[in-house]
């Protein structure tokens, strides 16, 4: 069994966190990651409700042996922090406050008994979240699915590990035991996995999004803001999203002159060629719709075997 700061602080049997993924990570997915021995996080999207958080937290806890993590978007709390209150009412073990300055919210989360982490994309972000008082950071590289930054996982991980005394978890492209072994060998305390869980039957969302992740190769993603613009999502412009390439991205991505109204008119969430599937480059490692529990167990077991060989 691999033991790190993360496993010890959260009582895990393996050093993996299930990514908070808006629209995809509900109670079933988060619960299965926890049941496997890691900690799964609900992805509380900006448009979700307090009721959704309460219901899905109950499911996650029941499946996951009592463990609960919840991820929120910091920039959206700045406009309305209702979802933070709803999340803290559930007394989660872990709260992720990502994409923005978490300083106004860290004390409240600590007072509710949660550990707090933030996903970061640069050394500038690291300084912001360090001074906000988070317990650990998640270095999220640009290969990651969903909203992310521009620096790739490997250089970002090295920069962050060199620059902080806080425990570091790594996200972005971990899809097998080799990826987890690499980040643990480098000095991280764990890996955070999103894309590798997207084809699992426990992931929420349309069936086509599962199929697209299985069929996508490593070169079938693009970093773009076209879906945020099409759906009037007020994401700060510094964060684009990594998504699976389809007819919509081929037609509109990289064309800033096109109006948001034109993008909205072309977008169709029910059509796989015109809707969004957020996913990272590790989609190229997802070959089947494997249950989330098995994905997590396999990644951890393979990492353990690889690390034993190093010793
Ligand atoms: C479908 C999808 C939705 C996501 N939604 C969120 C979110 O709501 N909040 C968040 O902090 N990160 C979100 N992310 C980013 C993940 O938390 C995580 O950083 C990423 O999945 C890790 O990289 P990987 O996809 O290569 O495993 C999302 C990622 C994906 C793939």
């Amino acid at each position: 069994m691999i033991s790190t700061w993360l496993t010890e602080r959260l009582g895990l049997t393996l050093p993996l966190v299930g990514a908070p993924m808006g629209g995809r990570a509900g109670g079933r997915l988060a619960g299965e990651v926890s049941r496997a021995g890691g900690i799964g996080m609900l992805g509380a999207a900006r448009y979700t409700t307090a009721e959704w958080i309460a219901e899905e937290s109950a499911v996650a806890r029941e499946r996951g042996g009592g463990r609960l993590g919840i991820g929120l978007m910091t920039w959206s709390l700045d406009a309305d922090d209702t979802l933070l209150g709803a999340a803290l009412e559930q007394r989660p073990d872990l709260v992720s406050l990502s994409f923005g300055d978490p300083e106004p919210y860290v004390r409240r989360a600590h007072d509710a008994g949660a550990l707090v982490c933030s996903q970061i994309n640069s050394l500038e972000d690291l300084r912001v979240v360090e001074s906000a008082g988070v317990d650990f950071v998640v270095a999220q590289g640009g290969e990651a699915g969903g909203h992310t930054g521009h620096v790739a996982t490997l250089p970002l991980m090295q920069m962050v590990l060199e620059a902080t005394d806080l425990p570091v978890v790594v996200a972005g492209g971990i899809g097998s035991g080799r990826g987890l072994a690499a980040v643990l060998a480098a000095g991280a305390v764990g890996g955070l996995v999103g894309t590798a869980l997207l084809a699992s039957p426990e992931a929420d969302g349309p069936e086509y999004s599962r199929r697209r992740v299985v069929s996508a190769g490593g070169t079938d993603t693009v970093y773009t803001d076209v879906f945020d613009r099409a759906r009037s999502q007020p994401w700060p412009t510094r964060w684009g999203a990594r998504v699976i390439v389809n007819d919509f991205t081929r037609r509109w991505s990289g064309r800033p002159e096109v109006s948001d109204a034109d993008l909205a008119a072309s977008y169709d969430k029910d059509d796989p060629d015109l809707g969004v599937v957020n996913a990272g480059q590790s989609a190229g490692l997802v070959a089947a719709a494997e249950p989330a529990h098995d994905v997590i167990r396999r990644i951890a077991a393979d990492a353990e075997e690889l690390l034993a060989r190093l010793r």
Side-chain angles (χ1 to χ4, degrees), residues 222-226 229 249 251-258:
V222 62
Y223 184 80
T224 184
D225 65 356
V226 283
R229 293 177 54 209
T249 64
R251 178 163 184 204
W252 301 117
S253 190
R255 293 179 58 190
E257 76 285 1
V258 174

Side-chain angles (χ1 to χ4, degrees), residues 56-250:
E56 299 298 318
S57 294
V59 174
R61 273 203 200 284
E62 194 188 319
R63 287 200 178 215
R67 227 170 271 139
L68 178 64
I70 304 180
L72 298 148
M73 238 85 71
T74 312
W75 62 264
S76 75
L77 299 178
D78 296 343
D80 177 356
D81 66 2
T82 310
L83 292 182
L84 178 67
L88 297 181
E89 256 177 47
Q90 302 302 320
R91 312 294 291 182
D93 304 284
L94 176 62
V95 169
S96 159
L97 298 169
S98 298
F99 308 115
D101 182 356
E103 197 274 333
Y105 316 110
V106 171
R107 161 79 68 87
R108 279 171 67 189
H110 280 157
D111 288 349
L115 275 188
V116 180
C117 67
S118 283
Q119 304 204 61
I120 56 167
N121 311 113
S122 68
L123 287 184
E124 291 73 26
D125 295 342
L126 172 66
R127 297 307 172 215
V128 170
V129 305
E130 273 182 333
S131 65
V134 302
D135 299 291
F136 67 96
V137 296
V138 181
Q140 186 211 33
E143 301 94 315
H147 289 86
T148 187
H150 299 272
V151 183
T153 302
L154 195 55
L156 182 69
M157 172 186 77
Q158 295 168 85
M159 288 181 229
V160 172
L161 282 167
E162 294 285 335
T164 187
D165 292 328
L166 285 177
V168 177
V169 166
V170 174
I174 299 177
S176 76
R178 296 182 197 284
L180 179 61
V183 307
L184 292 172
V189 298
L192 181 141
V193 173
T195 296
L197 298 167
L198 287 176
S200 299
E202 300 89 355
D204 292 339
E207 186 52 38
Y208 74 72
S209 58
R210 255 181 289 276
R211 285 200 305 272
R212 288 269 151 138
V213 171
V214 171
S215 59
T219 54
D220 292 331
T221 70
V222 62
Y223 184 80
T224 184
D225 65 356
V226 283
F227 290 112
D228 290 337
R229 293 177 54 209
R231 295 178 298 166
S232 302
Q233 297 270 339
W235 268 85
T237 52
R238 64 163 280 202
W239 290 290
R242 186 165 294 284
V243 304
I244 292 189
V245 170
N246 63 3
D247 288 349
F248 191 93
T249 64
R250 274 187 286 266

